[in-house]
Amino acid sequence: MRRDPSVRPSLALVSSCLWLVLAADGTLGAQELKRASLTIRGGESGPQISRHIYGHFAEHLGRCIYDGLWVGPSSRIPNTRGVRNDVIEALRRIKIPNLRWPGGCFADQYHWQDGVGPSDKRPRRINIHWGGVVEDNSFGTHEFLDFCEAIGADAYVAANVGSGTPQEMSDWVEYMTFAGDSALAGERAENGRKAPWKVPFLGVGNENWGCGGRMRPEYYSDLYRRFSVYARGWSGNQLTRVAAGPGGTDLKWLDVLADRVRSGVEGISMHYYTTGNPRWEDKLPSIGFGADEWFKIVRDALKIDGLLVEAEGIMARHDPEGRIGLYVDEWGTWYTPFPGSNPAFLVQQNTIRDAVVAGATFNVFHAHAKRVKMANIAQLVNVLQALILTEGDKMLLTPTYHVFDMYQVHHDATALPLALQTDDYANGSERIPALSASASRDAKGRVHVSLVNMDPSAALAVEARIDGPKLGAVAGRILTADALDAHNTFDAPERVRPTAFTGATLRDATLEARLPPRSVVVLTLSASR
Ligand code: AHR
């Protein structure tokens, strides 16, 4: 049993037991039942959960941009000025708040001038990081910013520091955002766009300790200071400037950067990928795995919590006012390349395990909402922990997409403090909590509770006491599946999808819910009808 010592238990927990379940084939079997209890302080207010925590990332990598988003205006696949209509519709449904582009590693080799002007005149360049494929630059600045407008997302443009110059970055910002009469604004108009776009977020480099130039933190910090002078907001476009922070657990980079860069910066990024093994080279498969590999992935995904605690400690020393946000602008699972795929294209399937990782990660982000102001899953389509997979004119929504859909209720809501006691989920001698949870209150006073049963084989009986507002009705949705690696395919695109959840009751400020193994549940509690 895992217990938060600061809180008095709201119910006496007994150790886990067995209960009978009816399997899909009609046979009766025993299933372990674990327990967890929560106290949600519904009348209190934590920080706002920025909707930007539900952000995205699309890189010129594999089939993310080409085939995934962009098919070109002359494609027989239905499109709006070259971007797939099915993808536009799916993304509008989940109200994606922002989109980061063009990389990733690609950002520090990208020269924006290559991607403007008549498409057939754009130069062809080698994509040096991702398989040496030839990039024809048909998807460039206009295509990206028009796409952002079409899906209602804020643009987050990552500028080139590794192989670029401050002048190039400054020109790009002017080209995109300046409303007056300048040579670059004129060039934009000649290329078909008179009015400037809004570009709220500007990344100054990406992973500059690695693919972005293999720099040392002291050197990057000096470069950041120089570049940021030339990153100006024009014509009312307020720029949020994001410095490239650490990857994985290298928090020394963050310490040096946050110490040396104290002005001209509004955010510092962090990247965290879940691989399930200590060595980066040792990845796990995305399907066809067993209970041990389920555990390793979920265990490692939860480690982002401790990393954020450490990062927040560093930030508190250098920025005690809390002015600079932490932007986890790449996160997600990273598995071995899907058999038969180009290994440089980072293709993987997406299962109910990825949905559990996504739900639990969002619960962690909610707990850190005071400092974590943005997060971007890697990546949007066809790459890593994708929300969408495409094949020709077919498209499917992954279990991860459905978690983004279910968690929409938390966008810009107020985080509610909660205390959790839960049985553990053990694998050999290792243990993690069986339940991950978070809660928020929206502008209409409704309370939203997200519960993730991370145990792949035991059900979980949850009892939650909600202090504060009087709430009488509960409704919600569940995402679960019949196998550890259940996933959607083009032949069976709806095998894993959310359904109405009928396993919750709310009486006298006590919520009871029984979660099946490997499930994500989001409940909305509202005043009595
Ligand atoms: O998302 C794939 C790659 O992971 C990105 O290009 C890079 O920033 C990170 O290492």
Side-chain angles (χ1 to χ4, degrees):
M1 169 71 57
R2 213 165 269 262
R3 186 165 291 179
D4 177 341
S6 65
V7 171
R8 212 160 26 90
S10 60
L11 86 169
L13 290 168
V14 294
S15 56
S16 64
C17 57
L18 294 178
W19 64 306
L20 292 175
V21 283
L22 195 61
D25 62 3
T27 55
L28 209 54
Q31 187 178 65
E32 194 183 0
L33 179 66
K34 293 186 173 172
R35 291 183 183 275
S37 77
L38 284 173
T39 303
I40 298 172
R41 301 198 188 102
E44 295 181 24
S45 294
Q48 189 185 48
I49 297 170
S50 168
R51 68 183 182 287
H52 290 294
I53 282 171
Y54 292 89
H56 295 269
F57 170 38
E59 180 168 14
H60 288 244
L61 190 177
R63 296 174 54 250
C64 182
I65 301 290
Y66 301 110
D67 292 353
L69 302 176
W70 179 254
V71 287
S74 58
S75 171
R76 60 175 184 80
I77 298 173
N79 67 83
T80 302
R81 285 185 293 159
V83 178
R84 303 176 67 114
N85 288 347
D86 49 6
V87 170
I88 291 176
E89 273 166 38
L91 296 179
R92 287 179 68 90
R93 274 206 297 280
I94 56 168
K95 299 194 179 60
I96 84 167
N98 67 72
L99 182 59
R100 177 172 180 253
W101 172 86
C105 295
F106 185 77
D108 285 282
Q109 77 147 113
Y110 185 61
H111 301 285
W112 68 271
Q113 288 278 11
D114 290 350
V116 297
S119 196
D120 58 352
K121 303 256 169 1
R122 297 184 192 175
R124 297 167 69 80
R125 307 268 187 216
I126 299 172
N127 185 331
I128 60 167
H129 293 294
W130 304 116
V133 296
V134 173
E135 160 70 53
D136 72 3
N137 280 303
S138 51
F139 189 87
T141 299
H142 288 246
E143 291 77 17
F144 169 68
L145 293 171
D146 287 352
F147 173 53
C148 286
E149 284 187 344
I151 56 175
D154 283 353
Y156 178 8
V157 168
N160 180 346
V161 171
S163 68
T165 62
Q167 180 73 56
E168 183 182 5
M169 179 196 68
S170 164
D171 286 352
W172 198 9
V173 175
E174 181 182 330
Y175 181 92
M176 293 185 285
T177 62
F178 188 60
D181 178 13
S182 76
L184 285 162
E187 192 186 333
R188 181 187 71 227
E190 269 169 40
N191 288 334
R193 173 79 183 205
K194 182 144 185 14
W197 290 280
K198 283 273 170 243
V199 179
F201 300 101
L202 181 76
V204 180
N206 169 76
E207 293 194 355
N208 299 90
W209 39 265
C211 61
R214 266 186 88 197
M215 301 170 192
R216 288 169 299 152
E218 295 80 6
Y219 179 64
Y220 172 74
S221 301
D222 283 348
L223 272 189
Y224 181 87
R225 290 165 67 111
R226 177 172 170 228
F227 271 66
S228 62
V229 171
Y230 304 94
R232 302 287 178 90
W234 298 115
S235 312
N237 184 77
Q238 191 81 36
L239 271 189
T240 293
R241 290 157 297 184
V242 184
T249 53
D250 175 18
L251 293 183
K252 181 184 169 235
W253 177 280
L254 178 65
D255 199 13
V256 174
L257 180 62
D259 183 34
R260 294 182 176 215
V261 176
R262 298 195 182 208
S263 61
V265 64
E266 287 75 38
I268 297 185
S269 72
M270 270 178 74
H271 291 176
Y272 183 75
Y273 284 103
T274 297
T275 61
N277 272 318
R279 272 170 25 104
W280 180 250
E281 301 73 33
D282 300 336
K283 306 266 181 9
L284 300 174
S286 60
I287 54 171
F289 53 82
D292 187 50
E293 288 151 316
W294 173 289
F295 181 88
K296 285 179 170 160
I297 289 294
V298 177
R299 175 201 63 195
D300 283 10
L302 293 180
K303 287 182 183 163
I304 195 171
D305 188 26
L307 207 57
L308 288 172
V309 170
E310 271 188 73
E312 285 159 355
I314 292 169
M315 295 300 293
R317 270 195 283 118
H318 301 300
D319 173 38
E321 307 80 28
R323 202 184 53 77
I324 301 169
L326 274 175
Y327 286 46
V328 188
D329 63 13
E330 289 185 28
W331 69 271
T333 51
W334 191 320
Y335 303 116
T336 43
F338 202 71
S341 68
N342 181 335
F345 284 10
L346 310 186
V347 178
Q348 59 192 43
Q349 245 301 354
N350 195 294
T351 68
I352 185 69
R353 180 178 64 177
D354 296 282
V356 162
V357 165
T361 302
F362 286 137
N363 290 342
V364 171
F365 289 157
H366 294 175
H368 292 273
K370 197 166 167 209
R371 185 68 84 166
V372 176
K373 296 296 176 198
M374 184 189 278
N376 306 70
I377 193 166
Q379 297 195 2
L380 192 60
V381 192
N382 291 334
V383 170
L384 298 176
Q385 192 177 346
L387 275 81
I388 291 175
L389 301 179
T390 65
E391 190 179 85
D393 61 357
K394 295 192 199 141
M395 182 208 75
L396 66 78
L397 306 175
T398 66
T400 297
Y401 173 95
H402 293 307
V403 174
F404 274 82
D405 184 13
M406 292 162 71
Y407 273 64
Q408 276 189 67
V409 291
H410 295 296
H411 286 200
D412 287 339
T414 301
L416 295 177
L418 61 79
L420 165 66
Q421 304 154 56
T422 171
D423 280 344
D424 280 339
Y425 153 37
N427 184 52
S429 59
E430 290 190 276
R431 311 177 88 75
I432 58 174
L435 178 70
S436 152
S438 71
S440 71
R441 187 180 56 241
D442 69 17
K444 291 186 177 148
R446 294 173 301 197
V447 169
H448 305 283
V449 182
S450 303
L451 304 168
V452 183
N453 181 1
M454 299 183 284
D455 193 313
S457 54
L460 193 53
V462 179
E463 184 175 305
R465 164 106 210 135
I466 323 290
D467 296 341
K470 211 166 161 19
L471 301 161
V474 58
R477 288 195 291 168
I478 180 168
L479 189 71
T480 187
D482 54 2
L484 296 195
D485 74 343
H487 55 278
N488 295 333
T489 62
F490 295 104
D491 293 331
E494 304 239 311
R495 179 173 172 201
V496 188
R497 65 182 175 86
T499 53
F501 184 60
T502 52
T505 57
L506 178 64
R507 238 172 263 115
D508 300 330
T510 300
L511 171 74
E512 288 186 349
R514 183 159 294 199
L515 313 182
R518 49 181 181 278
S519 59
V520 180
V521 169
V522 179
L523 299 170
T524 293
L525 283 48
S526 45
S528 309
R529 288 142 294 187

